[in-house]
Amino acid sequence: MSTEASAVKNGGYGYLDKNGIFKVVSTEVDAKKQSADGRVVGFAGPHAYGNPVVPTGTGEYDQLAITLHKDGSLTESEGFTIPSHIGKVVLELQ
């Protein structure tokens, strides 16, 4: 899903929701409240609407809906490539 640049924020805290989907919010308190297991990680990258984002090269961003599976694999719902630096952060919640 394409997102306008004005919605993008930098930095926050990531967590896994009850479906194993990686989400990002601005505060650690909110991340702990929304986390399925109370675990959170610092996230230094850009995010919007609760998802990490990557630039499209057109002034907009693609939102990534990354799922961490029980076997440690990661998938993205739209088939976007998961940048290694984001994957590494998600795997910290394993």
Side-chain angles (χ1 to χ4, degrees):
M1 175 186 314
S2 188
T3 299
E4 65 282 357
S6 62
V8 176
K9 299 176 184 175
N10 282 304
Y13 294 87
Y15 64 93
L16 295 176
D17 71 7
K18 66 181 180 178
N19 297 312
I21 299 172
F22 183 69
K23 297 296 204 173
V24 182
V25 292
S26 295
T27 70
E28 185 174 12
V29 170
D30 286 341
K32 285 184 177 183
K33 281 185 199 175
Q34 297 175 51
S35 171
D37 61 6
R39 296 178 59 212
V40 302
V41 294
F43 184 76
H47 61 96
Y49 305 113
N51 298 304
V53 296
V54 291
T56 63
T58 65
E60 294 188 343
Y61 290 76
D62 282 329
Q63 293 182 51
L64 303 176
I66 302 169
T67 301
L68 173 61
H69 302 279
K70 292 188 187 289
D71 66 0
S73 64
L74 300 173
T75 56
E76 200 291 318
S77 68
E78 299 290 322
F80 294 125
T81 300
I82 301 169
S84 61
H85 67 285
I86 296 175
K88 183 177 178 181
V89 172
V90 177
L91 289 171
E92 289 180 33
L93 294 167
Q94 189 175 21

